[in-house]
Amino acid sequence: MRHRLLRILLLPVLLTDDQGAVHGAAPATDEQFERSATAFLAPAHAELAHALAGTGLTPPERDVVHAGAMAALHDTVLRKISRVLVLELNAARLTGTLTAADSAGRWAEFVDRTREPGYWATLDATYPPLRHRLDTVVANRVAAAVELATRLAHDRDLLDVGELARAEFGAGDSHRGGRMVVLLHGTGGSTVYKPRSVAVDRALSDLLAAVVPDEDDPIRVPRVLERPSYGWAEHVTHRYCASDAELRAFYRNLGRWLAVMRLVGGTDLHQENLIAAGPVPVVVDCETLFTPRQPAPPSGYGAATDEAHAMVAGSVLGTGLLPGRGLVLAWRGIDTSAIGSLPGQQPTPDVPVIVGGGTDTAHVGFAKAPREPSANHPCPEPVLGKYWHHVVSAFTSQTRRLRELDHAGRLADLLTPFADLPVRAVLRPTETYAELSRMLWHPASLHDEPSAVAKAEDLLARHAGNAPDAPGTPDVIAAEVAELLAGDIPFFTTTPATGVLTGPAGTRWGRRANLVAEELDRWRATDPDVDRRVIQAALVSAYLNEGWLPDEVNRQPSTVASVDLDRRRRALARGIVEQIAATAIRGADGTASWVAPVLNPTGWSVQALSPDLYSGVGGVAVLLAGYLREQAAGRADEVPGLAELLAAAVETLQLGEERWRATLTEGVPLRPEPPGGYVGIGSRITTWLLLRRFGAVDDEAIIRARWLADQVPRAVVDDGAYDVLVGRAGVIVPLLRLAEHTGDADLVAHASMIGDQLIAEGEPRGPHDEAVCWPNKDFPEGIGGFAHGATGIGWALARLAAVTGDEAHAETAQAAFAYEETLYSPERGGWLDLREKDQVGGAWCHGAGGIGLAALDLGRLDVVDRAAESAWRLGLGWNHTLCHGDLGLWELATASTRFDSSTVDAHMVSVLEEYGVVTGLAREAFSPALLPGAGGIAYQLLRLHPECDLPTVLLPDPGPA
């Protein structure tokens, strides 16, 4: 009784982190726990061996299937019992039931105990469902292995496998009674067993033959052998391209896949479902075609935002082929797409592991688990940005071919064969199911299964409330949870002619519809130009995340003309603002949004604009308000309808915050927003104060900014960035400015507390610790520059010290600037960008531009001229944005004694006229964004007028009250 009570008490102690955090894998285990799993599975070994004897395979082949199936089952069981064993080990240690002389001996003693025949029965009182669940998993997997063996024996004369030599189970998730894809290798070759109908694979192959140009290396799917409820597929071997010509062909083929999958409503085409076979990307799992779609309910963020989300979801982005960042659970920031998922840019998630294995104090901790490389890339280090135009051009030509077939009346007939074939629909992300499964197999859940099941059902119901395609009825949700309890991932199927989905335990979901006809009508109604823009933006976002730059051409104006400068300046600004207005998505409720590459805490992705200042609606609203202010002063040309567009953008910001506030009031746990000055709460405070300053919003702006300030404490707790762009340093000055508006001393105190935290988290550098920097997960060695580095943090601390008079704040600011100086290279005339050890930077974000502006603001004039000269020489001519282009260097150059301001102005206008607006890294995708897009270029063009008093947005400072 004492031992059982101690187990219960230990549940929230030893495993709190593992239960409270959500991660993508079960705990890794010490190899000695494998002996525990082997002992538990001993009856299954014998059962499977006996059952395989009647399958028709030869004895050596039965041994192969037996070995492969039991290896996979062993791993599955081990992952499901390891946390229970860790808990039981510690309970035994604390109760003194382990008697060996040392810690390692007590570990071995405990493992030996788990191998005793009656051990697992002793756990029934604490974990009542454990043995039944494990028995179900084992029985299902054994039956599935026998089923495979029987089918192989029946079909082997039709397969070029020869004598079976190896069986790899676990090539994917298990579904419907432990069934899974199995890779079989024999003396004659390899084949892939699929425990589902492969008729859709055959139909897609026929469609490709009819619609894709007959070239040397056409896109294809594996050849298949059909059986009524299962099938065999050709094993496709991954091969890197052998030449640049093959690489170009590969990316052209990706464009063709995008066009075809857009037509047939393909989804779930992630990196594991595509294999690069030289120049041919082969889709090896094409079961999710003609995916049913449900209309999304209003989100509460405004009709324009909903329409933008629908545009993205309904575009070619919905195939899963194009790059995009995960937002949920342990997959946050991970790109699993077939075209993206570029190596070197994937976050390394923390996964639970057993720490201290081999001792009786073993416990669950966390370790980094890099994702395994996949076979979807055509070369070891793909440079997607170099070939993206091949993807777009092939998509365009293939779409044109499909529309010609449709115009000729042939396309509908080519799709008719799909109508009665079984297809799969992935209604929830597999990662969501996997995380719920981990929760349901946690010792706390095994101790109180009813509560765990109720929690899982509630989470699935909430998910259905936010995901219109996910089932929300209690019977379907209960069946999904039951499937997870049995160790499987829920599986939904339909036929395109009917549309109604069949799920676990025969449950039904969805509406009756002809999915082929609906998808064809939807495809006909789409604008190919929209899809092309989405493809460009998605591919651009991939190399933004990758940090790669396309082939750079330094764009210097051939002639710097100063004649009629103001008229030309006004025309350029007007043209940009007109394009922003033309690309706006307008909601019937008076809201507005845009779709573009957006920087959020997970990286770059194509989506409806966030509310932030950097690349979101907040920044666009600031531009529009500034333009209207200049227009009213006669310094900007009139743009009709701009006041209404500004009001719509402001309404979008307001609705977003009201939705946020309501969600918090409901007690729904939300991931904290970042505190940053450009992405996060600081940027939104700055947005409201700027909109008030420009006369676009009245004193309501102060109320909204004050509510945002109340959210900062929770944001800074989880902030590991520290920097100005996304981290806590970025919220300091916005808090100080808001305190000026409100007279609230608490805001100054809070800013001061953040400054104290930054002091504590800085790391000394230099021979006498005279310098300081702030390492983090992205820059573990520290980094300089304004946006992410020590310069920006030092600037924020210096501004804080000017208000608080705190010497520690001032001293740390000076130490940050001392670190900045350690990165200055006199020989190269610039500051080293530590992202690239051998480069010096000139831009605002990571180079001399931002360093000089910070120095200018603080009166560090000895730095200003040096930075201006460096920025002009190193940072000019690559693009025109504020973040990393020419217009971000304009005000530093005009403030320096080294340059004539009128010449600088003429240079900016001339280069824009000659080359057009080049929007930074995202140059091939139009973005209205303030810092990385066209919006900031227009803002700076307004500021070129000598009487303009719009403040800079290159410091996270809305200006004085």
Side-chain angles (χ1 to χ4, degrees), residues 339-403:
I339 295 180
S341 58
L342 298 175
Q345 64 158 278
Q346 302 303 307
T348 304
D350 290 324
V351 297
V353 296
I354 293 177
V355 179
T359 73
D360 65 344
T361 59
H363 60 279
V364 174
F366 296 97
K368 298 292 185 184
R371 289 172 55 79
E372 293 293 325
S374 59
N376 61 307
H377 289 305
C379 55
E381 297 183 0
V383 185
L384 179 57
K386 183 178 179 181
Y387 298 97
W388 75 265
H389 59 284
H390 293 292
V391 178
V392 176
S393 63
F395 170 83
T396 301
S397 61
Q398 182 64 58
T399 299
R400 185 184 306 115
R401 165 71 174 156
L402 293 173
R403 293 195 178 272

Side-chain angles (χ1 to χ4, degrees), residues 611-681:
D612 296 309
L613 194 67
Y614 185 86
S615 56
V617 175
V620 177
V622 166
L623 163 66
L624 298 179
Y627 193 95
L628 284 169
R629 191 164 177 263
E630 290 301 289
Q631 181 179 294
R635 296 188 289 266
D637 294 344
E638 182 179 358
V639 176
L642 207 59
E644 293 79 7
L645 181 58
L646 171 60
V650 170
E651 178 70 10
T652 301
L653 294 174
Q654 292 171 337
L655 285 179
E657 287 178 12
E658 288 164 10
R659 182 73 174 84
W660 182 11
R661 188 194 303 254
T663 304
L664 291 176
T665 302
E666 293 166 6
V668 178
L670 293 176
R671 186 185 302 274
E673 292 288 317
Y678 289 96
V679 177
I681 297 173

Side-chain angles (χ1 to χ4, degrees), residues 174-252:
S174 67
H175 308 285
R176 299 185 292 185
R179 295 176 175 87
M180 62 179 65
V181 174
V182 182
L183 178 57
L184 301 172
H185 303 280
T187 56
S190 300
T191 190
V192 180
Y193 166 70
K194 294 192 174 185
R196 64 163 177 85
S197 169
V198 295
V200 70
D201 304 62
R202 183 258 309 152
L204 181 58
S205 181
D206 293 344
L207 177 67
L208 294 175
V211 302
V212 177
D214 185 13
E215 297 183 352
D216 292 338
D217 298 301
I219 59 175
R220 67 183 187 90
V221 295
R223 296 182 298 274
V224 295
L225 173 64
E226 293 181 58
R227 287 294 178 258
S229 59
Y230 67 97
W232 308 93
E234 167 197 4
H235 175 237
V236 178
T237 302
H238 176 246
R239 174 175 78 79
Y240 286 137
C241 289
S243 65
D244 191 63
E246 283 198 339
L247 281 169
R248 292 194 300 271
F250 178 86
Y251 285 106
R252 284 195 299 271

Side-chain angles (χ1 to χ4, degrees), residues 279-303:
V280 183
V282 182
V283 172
V284 296
D285 201 349
C286 56
E287 58 185 337
T288 52
L289 304 184
F290 301 101
T291 299
R293 303 175 193 268
Q294 302 289 340
S299 67
Y301 291 96

